[in-house]
Amino acid sequence: MANRYSPYISIIPSVLCADKEKKTILIHPRQKHVRKLLDQVGQIRFLRLASPTGKFGKWVQETDPVEFRRAEADGALTFSAETPDEGEYTICLGNVNEEGVFVELAAFQVYAVREDLYRLTPYKGDFHMHSTCSDGQETPEYVAATNRKTGYDFMALTDHRKYEPSLAAKKAMADFGCDMLVCPGEEVHLPDNLVHIVNFGGRSSVNRWVDDNEEKYYAEVREYEKSVPENCAPSTRFQVAASEWTFDRIREAGGISMFCHPYWQLRHHAHIGEEVVEQLMERTRFDVLEVIGGYYRPNTESNMLAVARWQQEQAKGKAIPVAGISDSHGCDGDLTGWFYTVIFAEELSFESLAAAIRDCRSVAVHWIPDTFPIVVGPFRLVQFVYFLLREVFPGHDELCRVEGEIMRRALAGEEPDAAAGIAARKGMVRRYMDRCWGRSAK
């Protein structure tokens, strides 16, 4: 749970590089009413969260106070500390009472990561959703605006068998001048193959190519079938071959291929046969696995089965990238914001996001309202993302929300100067993240 003072006090930076160099940390009051709290601070103690504590509270009492300075103008506190190890650290503000016991007034968290992760930025997004161009409830531009309102840095509209709607969403956000990255995409459904596959970011449509070249598609898939074990059922052999043919076509188009909802359950049966799942997992020709998908509360089992299967494959020594997506068919209802992906990339571009996914620098988030978030992925990233969900993303999401609301009002004809409003906010999300990383002044 985030500190109750978090909306009123900024810790800059809140993400640090794990090394033996001392860093200067600023505790800055964002609102005047917390000046009184900071004025009461007589000691600051800085300790690593994972340190042995022994008796409850003993570790805090035994930690030496650090020297700090108080700014006359606004009461901000500044101190220096080392963060030699990767992990979470606690800043304890307080005083020593007459008995010599440190009494805490407030505490804040910061996180240190090694240089390879520190130089990256976490980006939130969803790359599987639908619009009125297939079976969704809202237009492409409305879906895009709502994704920004939800707190996303990137997205791709992936209508069933349709690529062009994603380009319409991309153009709409470009016209607004929005900083959110909108990538092309489609959900690929090919003849005689039940496996759902997302083309994220590809430069062209696989669905359209097959529509124009169906005979060639069947001929090429038959060649792929030759590599599928002959002891598999004929339908399995074809679906595996057709899926792997699709993975390769998406890759040739420069995109990321995602194997979707492997354990999606319809009323009385699984959508995909277990033998098909077994072969696709064993051969692993896709780029990323949907381990968290857009299922309603009663279908959480489908997600947990996908997570367990991913863990089993990891235990075999496979490095399979993961994704969380909403598969939303109505972005003002459930699912949007419940399931998404966090990618650690060098910059907000499709090329950088794709490279990060392939390098297993992504995690899937499952956060249904009124529940605790479930984060799935490499342990190191999962641990860091839990900190980000508490301490960093709330501020990030609030900035995105305002931009998304401006665009949605513009689409309703209620915001004639939307482009100017978005232009005035351009770069605000990036600057906020830079402050959290200490890359710029407050």
Side-chain angles (χ1 to χ4, degrees):
M1 181 181 295
N3 189 292
R4 68 188 181 96
Y5 291 108
S6 294
Y8 315 120
I9 291 179
S10 295
I11 308 297
I12 306 173
S14 51
V15 177
L16 308 102
C17 190
D19 55 37
K20 294 184 178 180
E21 293 184 6
K22 279 202 168 185
K23 292 93 179 170
T24 299
I25 299 175
L26 173 68
I27 304 171
H28 179 260
R30 298 180 61 201
Q31 301 294 337
K32 291 182 179 179
H33 65 268
V34 294
R35 170 74 185 263
K36 182 179 179 181
L37 169 72
L38 297 186
D39 286 346
Q40 295 176 37
V41 174
Q43 279 194 6
I44 296 178
R45 304 197 177 194
F46 187 74
L47 57 150
R48 190 178 175 209
L49 190 66
S51 299
T53 58
K55 186 178 178 182
F56 180 75
K58 184 178 180 183
W59 185 252
V60 178
Q61 298 297 331
E62 293 180 348
T63 301
D64 293 330
V66 298
E67 293 184 5
F68 68 93
R69 299 183 300 279
R70 190 188 310 274
E72 293 294 334
D74 59 8
L77 309 179
T78 307
F79 70 97
S80 296
E82 292 182 359
T83 52
D85 303 310
E86 186 165 281
E88 195 162 346
Y89 292 77
T90 301
I91 303 166
C92 292
L93 309 181
N95 287 296
V96 174
N97 65 17
E98 294 179 356
E99 288 77 32
V101 177
F102 178 78
V103 179
E104 182 182 299
L105 294 172
F108 300 90
Q109 267 59 49
V110 296
Y111 204 100
V113 289
R114 293 190 292 276
E115 172 62 29
D116 65 320
L117 189 52
Y118 179 74
R119 64 182 177 81
L120 305 174
T121 299
Y123 297 108
K124 292 175 62 179
D126 184 358
F127 49 96
H128 188 179
M129 66 199 76
H130 303 276
S131 76
T132 50
C133 296
S134 61
D135 56 349
Q137 297 177 11
E138 301 96 6
T139 62
E141 56 269 24
Y142 187 91
V143 173
T146 302
N147 272 261
R148 187 56 165 179
K149 180 183 176 183
T150 302
Y152 293 158
D153 301 295
F154 68 90
M155 64 157 288
L157 187 65
T158 53
D159 273 315
H160 298 287
R161 305 198 78 254
K162 293 183 179 180
Y163 180 83
E164 288 73 17
S166 68
L167 304 182
K170 182 179 179 69
K171 182 181 184 304
M173 293 301 99
D175 290 345
F176 280 123
C178 179
D179 285 333
M180 181 176 65
L181 176 68
V182 183
C183 303
E186 62 183 341
E187 186 162 9
V188 182
H189 301 286
L190 299 186
D192 299 321
N193 186 14
L194 293 174
V195 179
H196 290 195
I197 298 167
V198 157
N199 170 9
F200 172 40
R203 293 184 295 270
S204 59
S205 170
V206 176
N207 288 303
R208 173 68 63 82
W209 189 93
V210 173
D211 286 344
D212 295 339
N213 301 274
E214 188 166 317
E215 288 187 11
K216 189 174 182 181
Y217 158 75
Y218 278 110
E220 292 184 1
V221 169
R222 282 194 290 272
E223 288 299 312
Y224 273 69
E225 273 190 275
K226 294 177 181 178
S227 70
V228 182
E230 293 184 358
N231 61 344
C232 291
S235 62
T236 295
R237 297 189 70 215
F238 182 87
Q239 289 183 76
V240 170
S243 298
E244 294 187 344
W245 179 92
T246 305
F247 301 150
D248 288 349
R249 297 297 79 73
I250 292 172
R251 194 171 298 113
E252 287 174 4
I256 290 287
S257 63
M258 180 170 69
F259 176 19
C260 301
H261 33 255
Y263 291 100
W264 178 26
Q265 297 174 356
L266 298 174
R267 286 173 59 85
H268 303 297
H269 64 89
H271 180 69
I272 307 170
E274 182 60 27
E275 191 177 40
V276 175
V277 175
E278 286 285 345
Q279 286 298 316
L280 292 178
M281 289 294 193
E282 177 66 27
R283 298 156 69 87
T284 322
R285 295 276 290 274
F286 49 87
D287 292 314
V288 61
L289 176 67
E290 176 195 306
V291 293
I292 298 296
Y295 301 104
Y296 294 94
R297 294 172 192 266
N299 299 109
T300 296
E301 177 183 334
S302 300
N303 278 342
M304 296 303 101
L305 287 173
V307 170
R309 185 55 187 263
W310 174 76
Q311 292 171 329
Q312 178 174 296
E313 297 302 315
Q314 292 289 106
K316 296 177 183 177
K318 294 182 181 179
I320 301 177
V322 297
I325 53 84
S326 69
D327 198 1
S328 170
H329 288 67
C331 61
D332 274 340
D334 296 334
L335 304 181
T336 298
W338 292 13
F339 312 102
Y340 55 88
T341 305
V342 177
I343 301 175
F344 291 86
E346 294 182 356
E347 63 180 15
L348 187 56
S349 68
F350 173 74
E351 291 74 20
S352 186
L353 295 178
I357 289 173
R358 292 190 176 107
D359 196 33
C360 292
R361 286 185 270 123
S362 64
V363 301
V365 179
H366 172 290
W367 198 351
I368 295 176
D370 302 321
T371 67
F372 190 78
I374 298 169
V375 184
V376 179
F379 178 78
R380 181 189 181 202
L381 299 185
V382 168
Q383 195 172 27
F384 187 25
V385 166
Y386 272 117
F387 168 82
L388 296 174
L389 291 176
R390 283 189 280 110
E391 309 293 342
V392 174
F393 282 144
H396 164 282
D397 295 352
E398 176 60 22
L399 294 172
C400 293
R401 182 188 64 78
V402 175
E403 292 181 15
E405 286 184 344
I406 292 173
M407 291 183 284
R408 296 212 321 180
R409 289 198 302 269
L411 293 172
E414 300 168 357
E415 190 85 24
D417 297 325
I422 298 300
R425 303 182 62 81
K426 195 166 185 63
M428 289 184 69
V429 174
R430 177 184 54 78
R431 289 192 294 272
Y432 167 79
M433 297 298 282
D434 283 346
R435 284 197 303 274
C436 291
W437 264 249
R439 297 168 183 157
S440 65
K442 68 179 181 182

